[in-house]
Amino acid sequence: MNPWPFINGSYGITLLFLLGAGWLTLARYRRARRRLAQAMQR
Amino acid sequence: MPYERGMNEEVLPVMRSKSGGWLHYLANPARFMRVAVPALPWLTVVSVLLCAVGIVWGYQFAPADWEQGDAARIMYVHVPAAWVAMAGYAALAVCSLFSIVWRHPLADIAAEEIGPVGAGFTAVCLVSGSLWGKPMWGAYWVWDARLTSVLILFFLYLGHVALIRAFDNKAHAYRAAAILALAGAVNLPIIVFSVQWWNTLHQGNTISLSGGSKIYVTMLYPLLISTLGFYLAFITMVVARVAAAINERKLAAALLAAALHAAEEERT
């Protein structure tokens, strides 16, 4: 059995999770900081 | 610390060791933000670099296994994800203990933010393990002790996330979730020792902290780098989520204060 589709799938799902979760976390962190800064200015 | 003012100097060290005084010091949201915010960019850069080096090394440059061939490359993402999933749950249980014993709000926030990230790493472990199982065992899934206990870990993470969202009263939610997390911690030694206690299809431990690892350095180094990268990625995500949650709570408090102030002015 050719293992490469399984290897590619494993690495693909891992990269998708790391990049996706990282992106979502960064977006939430920046949004929270921006909204707090805006509220403090008012 | 404010609550220690006027206390006997001889009693203080004993009191701190008995009551977890140093934890009170560390679990202050303002102190956390002072350390976390400047550390986050560095944590992000180092974790991205380590993950990239570990993943590329494992995928492209590490040697194939003499028995499993190239399929063993899945190890460089599967094993770090599994270790982080277990360490994440241990951290969740410790935060839950702090929450129940010392009622630290930061422990509650940390536990809430660890849940989804830990569930994600556990899902990666399960999916990559399943994809490793097919070419090696001929099946994506078997009800083996190791696989089943990790699946239970995944459900415990999901249960923790769901329980926190199931209550209108946050304090009740955190307490119920902390009890679940502590009870679920019994699953951790079961996962670790499952390959010794039962005759499983899953292979036994390859790496040992006490020496006698059954892996050659050309495979060990990329595995360790990938593991370090995954651990740092987990820590970075959790720290960023906790910082975001603290800012969200500050914003909610500020908006509430502004609304109360406006209502007060309207009345007068």
Side-chain angles (χ1 to χ4, degrees), chain B residues 79-142:
Chain B
V79 174
W83 283 343
V84 171
M86 286 192 291
Y89 197 86
L92 180 65
V94 170
C95 287
S96 301
L97 185 71
F98 288 178
S99 164
I100 286 179
V101 177
W102 291 290
R103 303 287 172 99
H104 279 307
L106 197 61
D108 287 327
I109 297 172
E112 184 175 7
E113 302 306 336
I114 285 171
V117 183
F121 276 99
T122 314
V124 167
C125 166
L126 286 168
V127 173
S128 59
S130 183
L131 288 168
W132 196 358
K134 184 64 179 170
M136 290 298 102
W137 304 334
Y140 285 108
W141 185 264
V142 286

Short mmCIF file of all heavy atoms in Angstrom, two decimals, chain B residues 79-142:
data_model
loop_
_atom_site.label_atom_id
_atom_site.label_comp_id
_atom_site.label_asym_id
_atom_site.label_seq_id
_atom_site.Cartn_x
_atom_site.Cartn_y
_atom_site.Cartn_z
N VAL B 79 2.82 12.03 17.31
CA VAL B 79 3.33 11.91 18.69
C VAL B 79 3.35 13.27 19.40
O VAL B 79 2.84 13.38 20.53
CB VAL B 79 4.73 11.23 18.69
CG1 VAL B 79 5.35 11.24 20.09
CG2 VAL B 79 4.60 9.80 18.18
N PRO B 80 3.87 14.36 18.77
CA PRO B 80 3.80 15.66 19.47
C PRO B 80 2.36 16.07 19.78
O PRO B 80 2.08 16.59 20.86
CB PRO B 80 4.45 16.63 18.48
CG PRO B 80 5.32 15.80 17.64
CD PRO B 80 4.64 14.48 17.52
N ALA B 81 1.43 15.83 18.85
CA ALA B 81 0.03 16.19 19.10
C ALA B 81 -0.52 15.40 20.29
O ALA B 81 -1.25 15.95 21.13
CB ALA B 81 -0.82 15.93 17.85
N ALA B 82 -0.15 14.12 20.39
CA ALA B 82 -0.62 13.28 21.50
C ALA B 82 -0.06 13.79 22.83
O ALA B 82 -0.78 13.88 23.83
CB ALA B 82 -0.20 11.83 21.27
N TRP B 83 1.25 14.11 22.85
CA TRP B 83 1.86 14.60 24.09
C TRP B 83 1.24 15.92 24.53
O TRP B 83 0.98 16.13 25.72
CB TRP B 83 3.37 14.76 23.91
CG TRP B 83 4.11 13.45 23.94
CD1 TRP B 83 3.63 12.26 24.42
CD2 TRP B 83 5.43 13.19 23.47
NE1 TRP B 83 4.58 11.29 24.27
CE2 TRP B 83 5.70 11.81 23.71
CE3 TRP B 83 6.42 13.95 22.87
CZ2 TRP B 83 6.91 11.22 23.36
CZ3 TRP B 83 7.63 13.36 22.55
CH2 TRP B 83 7.87 12.02 22.79
N VAL B 84 1.02 16.82 23.56
CA VAL B 84 0.43 18.12 23.90
C VAL B 84 -1.01 17.93 24.39
O VAL B 84 -1.45 18.59 25.33
CB VAL B 84 0.49 19.09 22.69
CG1 VAL B 84 -0.32 20.34 22.96
CG2 VAL B 84 1.93 19.46 22.40
N ALA B 85 -1.74 17.00 23.76
CA ALA B 85 -3.13 16.75 24.18
C ALA B 85 -3.17 16.31 25.64
O ALA B 85 -4.00 16.78 26.42
CB ALA B 85 -3.75 15.68 23.29
N MET B 86 -2.23 15.43 26.03
CA MET B 86 -2.21 14.95 27.42
C MET B 86 -1.71 16.03 28.38
O MET B 86 -2.29 16.23 29.46
CB MET B 86 -1.33 13.70 27.53
CG MET B 86 -2.00 12.47 26.94
SD MET B 86 -1.14 10.96 27.36
CE MET B 86 0.35 11.13 26.42
N ALA B 87 -0.64 16.74 27.98
CA ALA B 87 -0.12 17.81 28.85
C ALA B 87 -1.16 18.91 29.00
O ALA B 87 -1.31 19.50 30.08
CB ALA B 87 1.17 18.37 28.25
N GLY B 88 -1.89 19.18 27.92
CA GLY B 88 -2.95 20.20 27.96
C GLY B 88 -4.02 19.83 28.95
O GLY B 88 -4.52 20.66 29.71
N TYR B 89 -4.38 18.54 28.97
CA TYR B 89 -5.42 18.11 29.92
C TYR B 89 -4.89 18.17 31.35
O TYR B 89 -5.64 18.52 32.28
CB TYR B 89 -5.94 16.70 29.61
CG TYR B 89 -7.24 16.47 30.32
CD1 TYR B 89 -8.44 16.86 29.74
CD2 TYR B 89 -7.28 15.95 31.60
CE1 TYR B 89 -9.63 16.72 30.41
CE2 TYR B 89 -8.46 15.81 32.29
CZ TYR B 89 -9.64 16.19 31.68
OH TYR B 89 -10.83 16.07 32.35
N ALA B 90 -3.59 17.85 31.52
CA ALA B 90 -2.99 17.95 32.87
C ALA B 90 -3.05 19.42 33.33
O ALA B 90 -3.38 19.70 34.49
CB ALA B 90 -1.55 17.45 32.84
N ALA B 91 -2.74 20.34 32.41
CA ALA B 91 -2.81 21.78 32.75
C ALA B 91 -4.25 22.18 33.08
O ALA B 91 -4.49 22.96 34.02
CB ALA B 91 -2.29 22.61 31.58
N LEU B 92 -5.19 21.63 32.33
CA LEU B 92 -6.61 21.91 32.58
C LEU B 92 -7.01 21.44 33.98
O LEU B 92 -7.72 22.15 34.72
CB LEU B 92 -7.45 21.19 31.51
CG LEU B 92 -8.96 21.33 31.56
CD1 LEU B 92 -9.36 22.77 31.32
CD2 LEU B 92 -9.60 20.44 30.51
N ALA B 93 -6.53 20.24 34.34
CA ALA B 93 -6.84 19.69 35.67
C ALA B 93 -6.21 20.53 36.78
O ALA B 93 -6.84 20.79 37.81
CB ALA B 93 -6.36 18.24 35.76
N VAL B 94 -4.96 20.99 36.56
CA VAL B 94 -4.29 21.83 37.57
C VAL B 94 -5.04 23.15 37.74
O VAL B 94 -5.28 23.61 38.86
CB VAL B 94 -2.80 22.07 37.17
CG1 VAL B 94 -2.16 23.13 38.05
CG2 VAL B 94 -2.01 20.77 37.28
N CYS B 95 -5.44 23.76 36.60
CA CYS B 95 -6.21 25.02 36.67
C CYS B 95 -7.53 24.78 37.42
O CYS B 95 -7.97 25.63 38.20
CB CYS B 95 -6.51 25.55 35.27
SG CYS B 95 -5.08 26.24 34.47
N SER B 96 -8.15 23.64 37.18
CA SER B 96 -9.42 23.31 37.84
C SER B 96 -9.22 23.16 39.34
O SER B 96 -10.06 23.58 40.14
CB SER B 96 -10.00 22.02 37.26
OG SER B 96 -10.21 22.18 35.89
N LEU B 97 -8.08 22.56 39.72
CA LEU B 97 -7.75 22.41 41.15
C LEU B 97 -7.59 23.80 41.79
O LEU B 97 -8.13 24.07 42.87
CB LEU B 97 -6.47 21.59 41.31
CG LEU B 97 -6.07 21.26 42.73
CD1 LEU B 97 -7.03 20.22 43.33
CD2 LEU B 97 -4.64 20.72 42.78
N PHE B 98 -6.83 24.68 41.12
CA PHE B 98 -6.64 26.05 41.63
C PHE B 98 -7.98 26.76 41.74
O PHE B 98 -8.23 27.53 42.67
CB PHE B 98 -5.74 26.86 40.69
CG PHE B 98 -4.31 26.47 40.72
CD1 PHE B 98 -3.39 27.10 39.90
CD2 PHE B 98 -3.85 25.46 41.56
CE1 PHE B 98 -2.06 26.74 39.92
CE2 PHE B 98 -2.53 25.08 41.57
CZ PHE B 98 -1.62 25.73 40.74
N SER B 99 -8.86 26.49 40.77
CA SER B 99 -10.17 27.13 40.74
C SER B 99 -11.02 26.68 41.93
O SER B 99 -11.65 27.49 42.61
CB SER B 99 -10.88 26.80 39.43
OG SER B 99 -12.24 27.08 39.52
N ILE B 100 -11.00 25.37 42.20
CA ILE B 100 -11.83 24.84 43.29
C ILE B 100 -11.25 25.20 44.66
O ILE B 100 -11.97 25.63 45.55
CB ILE B 100 -11.98 23.31 43.14
CG1 ILE B 100 -12.94 23.01 42.00
CG2 ILE B 100 -12.49 22.68 44.43
CD1 ILE B 100 -13.15 21.56 41.71
N VAL B 101 -9.91 25.07 44.81
CA VAL B 101 -9.29 25.29 46.13
C VAL B 101 -9.14 26.77 46.43
O VAL B 101 -9.50 27.24 47.51
CB VAL B 101 -7.93 24.57 46.21
CG1 VAL B 101 -7.25 24.85 47.56
CG2 VAL B 101 -8.11 23.07 46.02
N TRP B 102 -8.58 27.55 45.47
CA TRP B 102 -8.26 28.95 45.75
C TRP B 102 -9.17 29.95 45.05
O TRP B 102 -8.99 31.15 45.22
CB TRP B 102 -6.80 29.23 45.40
CG TRP B 102 -5.86 28.54 46.34
CD1 TRP B 102 -5.64 28.83 47.65
CD2 TRP B 102 -5.01 27.43 46.04
NE1 TRP B 102 -4.72 27.96 48.18
CE2 TRP B 102 -4.31 27.09 47.22
CE3 TRP B 102 -4.76 26.68 44.89
CZ2 TRP B 102 -3.39 26.06 47.28
CZ3 TRP B 102 -3.85 25.64 44.95
CH2 TRP B 102 -3.18 25.34 46.14
N ARG B 103 -10.11 29.46 44.23
CA ARG B 103 -11.07 30.33 43.54
C ARG B 103 -10.39 31.45 42.74
O ARG B 103 -10.80 32.60 42.81
CB ARG B 103 -12.05 30.96 44.54
CG ARG B 103 -12.82 29.98 45.38
CD ARG B 103 -13.88 29.30 44.52
NE ARG B 103 -14.53 28.22 45.24
CZ ARG B 103 -15.69 28.31 45.84
NH1 ARG B 103 -16.36 29.43 45.80
NH2 ARG B 103 -16.21 27.27 46.45
N HIS B 104 -9.34 31.10 42.01
CA HIS B 104 -8.67 32.11 41.19
C HIS B 104 -9.45 32.35 39.91
O HIS B 104 -9.64 31.40 39.14
CB HIS B 104 -7.26 31.64 40.81
CG HIS B 104 -6.26 31.87 41.89
ND1 HIS B 104 -6.09 33.09 42.48
CD2 HIS B 104 -5.39 31.04 42.47
CE1 HIS B 104 -5.15 32.99 43.40
NE2 HIS B 104 -4.72 31.76 43.42
N PRO B 105 -9.87 33.58 39.63
CA PRO B 105 -10.57 33.84 38.36
C PRO B 105 -9.69 33.52 37.15
O PRO B 105 -10.19 33.05 36.12
CB PRO B 105 -10.90 35.34 38.41
CG PRO B 105 -10.66 35.77 39.80
CD PRO B 105 -9.72 34.79 40.43
N LEU B 106 -8.37 33.76 37.30
CA LEU B 106 -7.47 33.50 36.17
C LEU B 106 -7.39 31.99 35.86
O LEU B 106 -7.26 31.61 34.70
CB LEU B 106 -6.07 34.05 36.48
CG LEU B 106 -5.15 34.21 35.28
CD1 LEU B 106 -5.72 35.19 34.27
CD2 LEU B 106 -3.77 34.67 35.72
N ALA B 107 -7.51 31.17 36.90
CA ALA B 107 -7.50 29.71 36.69
C ALA B 107 -8.75 29.29 35.92
O ALA B 107 -8.69 28.42 35.04
CB ALA B 107 -7.44 28.99 38.03
N ASP B 108 -9.89 29.93 36.23
CA ASP B 108 -11.12 29.63 35.50
C ASP B 108 -10.98 30.02 34.03
O ASP B 108 -11.37 29.26 33.13
CB ASP B 108 -12.29 30.42 36.11
CG ASP B 108 -12.72 29.84 37.45
OD1 ASP B 108 -12.62 28.62 37.61
OD2 ASP B 108 -13.15 30.62 38.32
N ILE B 109 -10.43 31.23 33.81
CA ILE B 109 -10.26 31.70 32.42
C ILE B 109 -9.30 30.78 31.67
O ILE B 109 -9.56 30.37 30.53
CB ILE B 109 -9.73 33.16 32.40
CG1 ILE B 109 -10.74 34.11 33.04
CG2 ILE B 109 -9.43 33.61 30.97
CD1 ILE B 109 -10.23 35.52 33.24
N ALA B 110 -8.18 30.42 32.33
CA ALA B 110 -7.19 29.54 31.68
C ALA B 110 -7.83 28.19 31.34
O ALA B 110 -7.65 27.68 30.23
CB ALA B 110 -5.99 29.36 32.59
N ALA B 111 -8.59 27.63 32.28
CA ALA B 111 -9.24 26.33 32.02
C ALA B 111 -10.20 26.45 30.84
O ALA B 111 -10.24 25.57 29.96
CB ALA B 111 -9.98 25.86 33.26
N GLU B 112 -10.95 27.54 30.80
CA GLU B 112 -11.91 27.74 29.70
C GLU B 112 -11.19 27.83 28.35
O GLU B 112 -11.69 27.32 27.35
CB GLU B 112 -12.72 29.03 29.96
CG GLU B 112 -13.80 29.26 28.93
CD GLU B 112 -14.67 30.47 29.24
OE1 GLU B 112 -14.36 31.21 30.20
OE2 GLU B 112 -15.66 30.67 28.51
N GLU B 113 -10.02 28.48 28.35
CA GLU B 113 -9.31 28.69 27.09
C GLU B 113 -8.46 27.49 26.68
O GLU B 113 -8.16 27.31 25.50
CB GLU B 113 -8.44 29.95 27.18
CG GLU B 113 -9.21 31.23 27.50
CD GLU B 113 -10.37 31.49 26.54
OE1 GLU B 113 -10.33 31.00 25.39
OE2 GLU B 113 -11.33 32.17 26.94
N ILE B 114 -8.06 26.67 27.66
CA ILE B 114 -7.27 25.47 27.33
C ILE B 114 -8.16 24.45 26.60
O ILE B 114 -7.72 23.79 25.65
CB ILE B 114 -6.68 24.84 28.61
CG1 ILE B 114 -5.49 25.66 29.12
CG2 ILE B 114 -6.20 23.40 28.35
CD1 ILE B 114 -5.00 25.23 30.50
N GLY B 115 -9.43 24.35 27.01
CA GLY B 115 -10.34 23.33 26.48
C GLY B 115 -10.38 23.21 24.96
O GLY B 115 -10.03 22.14 24.42
N PRO B 116 -10.74 24.28 24.24
CA PRO B 116 -10.84 24.14 22.78
C PRO B 116 -9.50 23.85 22.10
O PRO B 116 -9.45 23.08 21.14
CB PRO B 116 -11.37 25.52 22.33
CG PRO B 116 -11.94 26.14 23.55
CD PRO B 116 -11.19 25.59 24.71
N VAL B 117 -8.42 24.44 22.62
CA VAL B 117 -7.09 24.21 22.01
C VAL B 117 -6.68 22.75 22.23
O VAL B 117 -6.21 22.07 21.31
CB VAL B 117 -6.03 25.18 22.61
CG1 VAL B 117 -4.69 24.99 21.91
CG2 VAL B 117 -6.48 26.63 22.48
N GLY B 118 -6.88 22.27 23.45
CA GLY B 118 -6.55 20.87 23.75
C GLY B 118 -7.38 19.91 22.92
O GLY B 118 -6.86 18.89 22.43
N ALA B 119 -8.66 20.24 22.74
CA ALA B 119 -9.52 19.39 21.91
C ALA B 119 -9.00 19.34 20.48
O ALA B 119 -9.02 18.29 19.83
CB ALA B 119 -10.96 19.90 21.94
N GLY B 120 -8.51 20.47 19.98
CA GLY B 120 -7.96 20.54 18.63
C GLY B 120 -6.74 19.63 18.47
O GLY B 120 -6.65 18.86 17.51
N PHE B 121 -5.82 19.71 19.43
CA PHE B 121 -4.62 18.85 19.36
C PHE B 121 -5.00 17.37 19.48
O PHE B 121 -4.39 16.51 18.84
CB PHE B 121 -3.62 19.25 20.45
CG PHE B 121 -2.73 20.40 20.05
CD1 PHE B 121 -3.00 21.69 20.46
CD2 PHE B 121 -1.62 20.18 19.24
CE1 PHE B 121 -2.19 22.75 20.08
CE2 PHE B 121 -0.80 21.24 18.86
CZ PHE B 121 -1.09 22.53 19.27
N THR B 122 -6.00 17.08 20.32
CA THR B 122 -6.44 15.68 20.46
C THR B 122 -7.05 15.19 19.14
O THR B 122 -6.83 14.04 18.74
CB THR B 122 -7.47 15.54 21.60
OG1 THR B 122 -7.00 16.26 22.73
CG2 THR B 122 -7.67 14.09 21.99
N ALA B 123 -7.81 16.06 18.47
CA ALA B 123 -8.40 15.69 17.17
C ALA B 123 -7.30 15.41 16.15
O ALA B 123 -7.38 14.43 15.39
CB ALA B 123 -9.32 16.80 16.68
N VAL B 124 -6.25 16.25 16.15
CA VAL B 124 -5.12 16.03 15.23
C VAL B 124 -4.46 14.68 15.53
O VAL B 124 -4.13 13.91 14.63
CB VAL B 124 -4.08 17.18 15.36
CG1 VAL B 124 -2.77 16.82 14.67
CG2 VAL B 124 -4.64 18.46 14.77
N CYS B 125 -4.30 14.38 16.82
CA CYS B 125 -3.70 13.10 17.24
C CYS B 125 -4.55 11.93 16.74
O CYS B 125 -4.02 10.96 16.19
CB CYS B 125 -3.57 13.09 18.76
SG CYS B 125 -3.23 11.49 19.47
N LEU B 126 -5.87 12.04 16.92
CA LEU B 126 -6.76 10.94 16.53
C LEU B 126 -6.78 10.75 15.01
O LEU B 126 -6.70 9.62 14.52
CB LEU B 126 -8.18 11.21 17.04
CG LEU B 126 -8.40 11.01 18.54
CD1 LEU B 126 -9.75 11.59 18.96
CD2 LEU B 126 -8.33 9.52 18.91
N VAL B 127 -6.87 11.86 14.28
CA VAL B 127 -6.96 11.76 12.80
C VAL B 127 -5.64 11.26 12.22
O VAL B 127 -5.62 10.35 11.37
CB VAL B 127 -7.37 13.13 12.19
CG1 VAL B 127 -7.29 13.07 10.68
CG2 VAL B 127 -8.77 13.52 12.63
N SER B 128 -4.52 11.83 12.70
CA SER B 128 -3.22 11.39 12.16
C SER B 128 -2.94 9.93 12.56
O SER B 128 -2.38 9.17 11.76
CB SER B 128 -2.09 12.31 12.63
OG SER B 128 -2.02 12.34 14.04
N GLY B 129 -3.36 9.56 13.76
CA GLY B 129 -3.18 8.16 14.19
C GLY B 129 -4.01 7.22 13.35
O GLY B 129 -3.57 6.12 12.99
N SER B 130 -5.21 7.66 13.02
CA SER B 130 -6.10 6.87 12.19
C SER B 130 -5.49 6.68 10.78
O SER B 130 -5.52 5.59 10.21
CB SER B 130 -7.44 7.59 12.12
OG SER B 130 -8.34 6.87 11.40
N LEU B 131 -4.91 7.78 10.27
CA LEU B 131 -4.28 7.71 8.95
C LEU B 131 -2.98 6.90 8.97
O LEU B 131 -2.53 6.42 7.94
CB LEU B 131 -3.99 9.14 8.44
CG LEU B 131 -5.24 9.93 8.02
CD1 LEU B 131 -4.91 11.40 7.81
CD2 LEU B 131 -5.83 9.35 6.74
N TRP B 132 -2.38 6.77 10.13
CA TRP B 132 -1.19 5.91 10.28
C TRP B 132 -1.63 4.45 10.41
O TRP B 132 -0.96 3.54 9.96
CB TRP B 132 -0.42 6.36 11.52
CG TRP B 132 0.99 5.85 11.62
CD1 TRP B 132 1.65 5.03 10.75
CD2 TRP B 132 1.93 6.18 12.65
NE1 TRP B 132 2.93 4.80 11.18
CE2 TRP B 132 3.13 5.50 12.34
CE3 TRP B 132 1.88 6.96 13.80
CZ2 TRP B 132 4.26 5.59 13.15
CZ3 TRP B 132 3.00 7.05 14.60
CH2 TRP B 132 4.18 6.38 14.27
N GLY B 133 -2.77 4.25 11.03
CA GLY B 133 -3.27 2.89 11.27
C GLY B 133 -3.62 2.15 9.99
O GLY B 133 -3.38 0.95 9.88
N LYS B 134 -4.19 2.86 9.03
CA LYS B 134 -4.66 2.20 7.79
C LYS B 134 -3.52 1.48 7.05
O LYS B 134 -3.64 0.29 6.76
CB LYS B 134 -5.36 3.24 6.90
CG LYS B 134 -5.96 2.65 5.63
CD LYS B 134 -7.08 1.67 5.91
CE LYS B 134 -7.66 1.12 4.62
NZ LYS B 134 -8.58 0.00 4.89
N PRO B 135 -2.39 2.17 6.73
CA PRO B 135 -1.33 1.43 6.03
C PRO B 135 -0.60 0.42 6.91
O PRO B 135 -0.03 -0.55 6.41
CB PRO B 135 -0.37 2.53 5.56
CG PRO B 135 -0.64 3.70 6.41
CD PRO B 135 -2.07 3.61 6.85
N MET B 136 -0.62 0.60 8.24
CA MET B 136 0.13 -0.31 9.13
C MET B 136 -0.71 -1.50 9.61
O MET B 136 -0.24 -2.63 9.66
CB MET B 136 0.64 0.47 10.35
CG MET B 136 1.75 1.45 10.06
SD MET B 136 3.22 0.63 9.40
CE MET B 136 3.08 0.97 7.69
N TRP B 137 -1.95 -1.23 10.03
CA TRP B 137 -2.80 -2.27 10.61
C TRP B 137 -3.88 -2.75 9.63
O TRP B 137 -4.57 -3.73 9.90
CB TRP B 137 -3.52 -1.77 11.87
CG TRP B 137 -2.64 -1.22 12.95
CD1 TRP B 137 -1.33 -1.55 13.17
CD2 TRP B 137 -2.99 -0.26 13.96
NE1 TRP B 137 -0.85 -0.85 14.24
CE2 TRP B 137 -1.84 -0.06 14.76
CE3 TRP B 137 -4.14 0.44 14.28
CZ2 TRP B 137 -1.81 0.82 15.83
CZ3 TRP B 137 -4.12 1.31 15.37
CH2 TRP B 137 -2.98 1.50 16.12
N GLY B 138 -4.08 -1.97 8.56
CA GLY B 138 -5.14 -2.30 7.61
C GLY B 138 -6.50 -1.77 8.02
O GLY B 138 -7.51 -2.11 7.43
N ALA B 139 -6.54 -0.93 9.08
CA ALA B 139 -7.82 -0.37 9.55
C ALA B 139 -7.58 1.05 10.06
O ALA B 139 -6.54 1.32 10.67
CB ALA B 139 -8.41 -1.22 10.66
N TYR B 140 -8.56 1.92 9.81
CA TYR B 140 -8.43 3.28 10.32
C TYR B 140 -8.60 3.32 11.84
O TYR B 140 -8.07 4.16 12.53
CB TYR B 140 -9.49 4.20 9.69
CG TYR B 140 -9.18 4.56 8.25
CD1 TYR B 140 -9.92 4.02 7.20
CD2 TYR B 140 -8.17 5.46 7.95
CE1 TYR B 140 -9.65 4.35 5.89
CE2 TYR B 140 -7.89 5.80 6.64
CZ TYR B 140 -8.63 5.24 5.62
OH TYR B 140 -8.35 5.57 4.32
N TRP B 141 -9.42 2.39 12.36
CA TRP B 141 -9.74 2.43 13.79
C TRP B 141 -9.88 1.02 14.34
O TRP B 141 -10.45 0.14 13.69
CB TRP B 141 -11.06 3.20 14.02
CG TRP B 141 -11.35 3.37 15.48
CD1 TRP B 141 -12.16 2.59 16.25
CD2 TRP B 141 -10.82 4.38 16.33
NE1 TRP B 141 -12.16 3.05 17.55
CE2 TRP B 141 -11.35 4.15 17.63
CE3 TRP B 141 -9.95 5.46 16.15
CZ2 TRP B 141 -11.03 4.96 18.72
CZ3 TRP B 141 -9.63 6.26 17.23
CH2 TRP B 141 -10.17 6.01 18.49
N VAL B 142 -9.33 0.79 15.52
CA VAL B 142 -9.59 -0.44 16.27
C VAL B 142 -9.89 -0.03 17.71
O VAL B 142 -9.39 1.01 18.17
CB VAL B 142 -8.38 -1.42 16.25
CG1 VAL B 142 -8.23 -2.09 14.91
CG2 VAL B 142 -7.10 -0.71 16.64
#
